Amino acid sequence: MAVCALVSKISQVSGRLCSKALCPANTAVRALSCTGSRSQLHRVKGAGVLTGQVDRFGGVTVNLADAGLPADISEGAFSRLLQDSLVQWKSEGKAAVWLRIPISLSRCAAASSTHGFTFHHAKHDHSVLALWLGEGKSRLPGFATHQVGVAGAVVDESTGKVLVVQDRNKTKNAWKFPGGLSEPGENIGATAIREVFEETGVRSEFRSLLSVRQQHNHPGAFGMSDMYVICRLGPLTYDINFCTQECLSCKWLDLADLATTGDTTPITARIARLLLYGLEQGFDKIDLTMEELPAVYSGMYYQLYHRQLPPTLKP
């Protein structure tokens, strides 16, 4: 019986030793803690640190949706994993870390904040947090600072009339050019054409850029500044079928009347006078034309707006 008891005691000790051997300090177990996080540990890809894409500026972007984290990972477990990852990134000389956090793992944002991360921006189903690891003051760029509004001045050159609307959501029912906010990835000419059609039912084509207005502390812009671009468009159709949800009225109005009426906005009156000058002296005097040029990135193009060059200066 004594021998059996001794064997049992040795087995218990051996079991404890084997259990400790499964938790060395240099494994991901330490990052997620040895008490209560082992199941989470074994479901995390990698060896205890987060991995991500390194950009040309020396920053690393980690998308937690693709990091293999368990859906039920705790704030504490993620915090320890992030701490170990930061140690490695700093040793590698990384300049910054960007964390893309899906809304389902929002608790990881709270954990990240304890390590100095701050919100950079949020879109739809995720937020992006950032941390500067380089020397001195952070050189990370801010998120979007401006919203871009685009209006289309559709001019009928044969009659001297321009298409105008009265917005339903304005405090003053002034005549103005139809327009709205440009969507991500949408060129300003395309925005003008789309907004004109959505508000008035008139189809048009892009002719030129007329003006750019910059305004700060714009109401309803969520603290961003506002860029308001007005394009000159040519009509392809003339029948009006305006959107009653956005507009109170819509009509073709003489440019001379729009330039002098008190029932409009200062910028609309100014552009009306500019268009009158273009009708009289030629639109080449007022137009900023657009040309597509190849970007330095292969296969991509950008749009450049400027006054037309004399033929002798064109390539």
Side-chain angles (χ1 to χ4, degrees):
M1 294 295 294
V3 173
C4 292
L6 179 60
V7 171
S8 177
K9 187 69 174 178
I10 292 173
S11 298
Q12 293 174 8
V13 173
S14 298
R16 287 196 296 270
L17 289 174
C18 291
S19 176
K20 290 181 180 180
L22 292 176
C23 188
N26 63 344
T27 67
V29 178
R30 177 172 55 85
L32 295 177
S33 89
C34 296
T35 57
S37 296
R38 288 194 184 100
S39 61
Q40 294 183 349
L41 159 70
H42 293 304
R43 286 178 284 159
V44 177
K45 297 177 182 177
V49 293
L50 295 164
T51 59
Q53 296 293 322
V54 179
D55 59 44
R56 61 193 180 99
F57 301 104
V60 58
T61 299
V62 179
N63 187 350
L64 296 191
D66 299 330
L69 298 178
D72 59 347
I73 189 170
S74 66
E75 284 188 34
F78 179 76
S79 179
R80 289 185 285 274
L81 176 60
L82 182 58
Q83 176 61 41
D84 284 355
S85 302
L86 286 170
V87 169
Q88 178 164 317
W89 290 326
K90 289 177 181 178
S91 70
E92 295 172 350
K94 295 295 187 291
V97 181
W98 303 86
L99 291 180
R100 180 185 171 111
I101 303 178
I103 197 169
S104 60
L105 291 174
S106 293
R107 58 190 174 279
C108 293
S112 302
S113 69
T114 64
H115 297 281
F117 281 84
T118 56
F119 282 111
H120 187 262
H121 66 274
K123 292 180 66 176
H124 305 301
D125 61 351
H126 71 274
S127 62
V128 175
L129 277 64
L131 176 65
W132 174 252
L133 298 180
E135 296 181 357
K137 185 179 179 181
S138 173
R139 298 197 300 273
L140 295 178
F143 192 53
T145 58
H146 290 66
Q147 66 176 14
V148 179
V150 183
V154 187
V155 180
D156 182 356
E157 298 180 39
S158 64
T159 63
K161 293 180 181 291
V162 65
L163 187 65
V164 290
V165 298
Q166 287 181 328
D167 277 348
R168 180 173 293 278
N169 60 353
K170 298 294 184 181
T171 55
K172 179 182 178 181
N173 295 328
W175 291 112
K176 60 181 286 290
F177 305 122
L181 292 178
S182 190
E183 297 178 353
E186 186 177 48
N187 292 325
I188 58 175
T191 301
I193 292 170
R194 174 180 57 79
E195 286 289 344
V196 165
F197 178 72
E198 290 176 357
E199 291 189 12
T200 71
V202 173
R203 297 189 180 276
S204 58
E205 60 183 0
F206 177 82
R207 295 289 174 79
S208 71
L209 176 65
L210 292 172
S211 69
V212 179
R213 181 208 69 192
Q214 186 176 24
Q215 180 177 337
H216 306 292
N217 300 316
H218 189 276
F222 305 99
M224 293 187 292
S225 297
D226 178 76
M227 300 289 287
Y228 179 64
V229 178
I230 300 180
C231 300
R232 182 171 72 90
L233 307 179
L236 297 176
T237 62
Y238 297 87
D239 293 337
I240 292 174
N241 182 22
F242 70 90
C243 175
T244 57
Q245 293 179 328
E246 294 190 43
C247 306
L248 288 172
S249 184
C250 175
K251 67 179 181 179
W252 292 95
L253 183 65
D254 284 330
L255 272 170
D257 293 339
L258 185 62
T260 57
T261 181
D263 295 328
T264 189
T265 63
I267 188 172
T268 305
R270 175 65 62 87
I271 298 303
R273 289 193 288 271
L274 184 69
L275 289 167
L276 276 175
Y277 180 74
L279 277 174
E280 296 168 357
Q281 303 296 324
F283 285 112
D284 60 303
K285 300 291 194 300
I286 66 170
D287 282 346
L288 296 178
T289 57
M290 182 274 291
E291 185 176 356
E292 280 197 339
L293 298 175
V296 294
Y297 304 105
S298 177
M300 298 182 67
Y301 289 82
Y302 61 84
Q303 295 188 327
L304 184 66
Y305 300 85
H306 59 79
R307 291 288 295 273
Q308 289 193 30
L309 290 172
T312 57
L313 295 179
K314 289 186 177 181

